[in-house]
Amino acid sequence: MKGLFITFEGGEGAGKSTQIRLLHETLSQKGHKVVLTREPGGSPGAEALRELILFNEAPLSLRAQTLAHMAARADHLDSLILPALARGEIVLCDRFHDSTLVYQGYGLARGDKASLDFIRSLRQLMACEPDLTLLLDISPELGAERMAARGGKPDRYEQEATEFHHRVAAAFMAIAQTAPERVRRVDASHSPEQVAEAVLSIVSTYLPQ
Ligand code: T5A
């Protein structure tokens, strides 16, 4: 991979979409070629799967949800992310592998070893890891307040109980602690401008001179 692959992670309402948009604007203005994308989704096939994963009311087993996220990711990687990286571009992706480990592995499966092994083995098969992951960290309560203020139809995971979102927050923090060379935590409780400044100061050290 010649390009730079940056992912944004965090719980509901952490401000990922806001920050990834601001970073996209800033980097594009500086003359970088930047692709802005998201998961689940990002390519036509993966966006179709997104609807099924997030908004279809039929229950999906944990393994089916995991495989559906991975299937969407495979299409997204093959048709958008890997070609952009091969062209030397910067790819900014709203959620990626860590979300699967956190939401399916720790949120839904509560850290069950067989489920974590299942997810990790699929992740290994995908053979694509970000160069940098920005973890936008806010409390589940503040995230829920922001989501309530924003409104809109809640998806499959937003409807989960408060304890689920606490497990998600704890799992993201654990990942940041176990992979400090890749994952950088950003305090996302500040204003959008302050968070954007913190994000840019980290990203700047990864940019080609
Ligand atoms: N998922 C995803 C899995 O379970 N497994 C997986 O493998 C993957 C990839 C995706 C869902 O799928 C799950 C995780 C998710 O539940 P989504 O619709 O793509 O869902 O949405 P999320 O990624 O969850 O993002 P959200 O829509 O929840 O929020 P964001 O993007 O973190 O936050 P944002 O920027 O939209 O901001 C939310 C509100 O807060 C305001 C914004 O204006 C907006 O109204 N805001 C701020 N307010 C005050 N101060 C700030 N600093 C603010 N920043 C933003």
Side-chain angles (χ1 to χ4, degrees):
M1 295 194 306
K2 290 187 295 175
L4 180 64
F5 186 24
I6 302 177
T7 58
F8 281 66
E9 298 279 5
E12 311 295 322
K16 297 175 304 302
S17 313
T18 304
Q19 291 304 323
I20 209 166
R21 205 173 48 242
L22 291 172
L23 183 62
H24 179 255
E25 271 169 32
T26 306
L27 296 183
S28 302
Q29 279 163 11
K30 286 178 188 284
H32 295 283
K33 286 215 157 175
V34 194
V35 173
L36 168 58
T37 189
R38 68 169 179 183
E39 289 207 345
S43 59
E47 286 291 329
L49 285 167
R50 176 186 172 92
E51 280 307 302
L52 172 80
I53 297 169
L54 296 184
F55 298 109
N56 191 292
E57 283 171 14
L60 276 177
S61 75
L62 173 63
R63 288 206 299 171
Q65 285 184 48
T66 301
L67 288 167
H69 279 292
M70 290 292 182
R73 183 160 303 138
D75 190 67
H76 189 204
L77 277 166
D78 294 344
S79 45
L80 186 85
I81 296 176
L82 294 176
L85 292 175
R87 292 192 299 269
E89 297 173 7
I90 299 174
V91 176
L92 305 178
C93 187
D94 192 340
R95 296 195 182 279
F96 197 59
H97 276 314
D98 293 322
S99 281
T100 317
L101 193 65
V102 164
Y103 277 77
Q104 279 64 53
Y106 287 95
L108 294 176
R110 298 167 180 264
D112 163 65
K113 185 175 176 311
S115 303
L116 295 178
D117 287 348
F118 182 64
I119 294 164
R120 287 189 174 120
S121 59
L122 291 167
R123 177 173 183 157
Q124 220 169 353
L125 287 172
M126 294 284 203
C128 180
E129 290 292 331
D131 299 297
L132 168 67
T133 296
L134 293 154
L135 171 59
L136 297 196
D137 182 28
I138 53 164
S139 68
E141 289 77 13
L142 181 53
E145 264 176 45
R146 287 183 186 171
M147 294 305 283
R150 189 180 75 179
K153 187 180 172 202
D155 66 36
R156 191 183 294 272
Y157 305 107
E158 283 162 18
Q159 294 174 38
E160 290 285 341
T162 311
E163 299 77 54
F164 173 92
H165 296 288
H166 279 279
R167 287 198 295 283
V168 162
F172 273 129
M173 284 311 287
I175 290 177
Q177 279 158 7
T178 51
E181 67 297 338
R182 172 177 66 86
V183 184
R184 302 288 302 273
R185 177 190 165 276
V186 174
D187 184 345
S189 64
H190 300 302
S191 71
E193 296 73 23
Q194 287 170 314
V195 179
E197 208 174 302
V199 164
L200 187 60
S201 90
I202 295 170
V203 170
S204 297
T205 64
Y206 285 76
L207 296 175
Q209 295 307 308

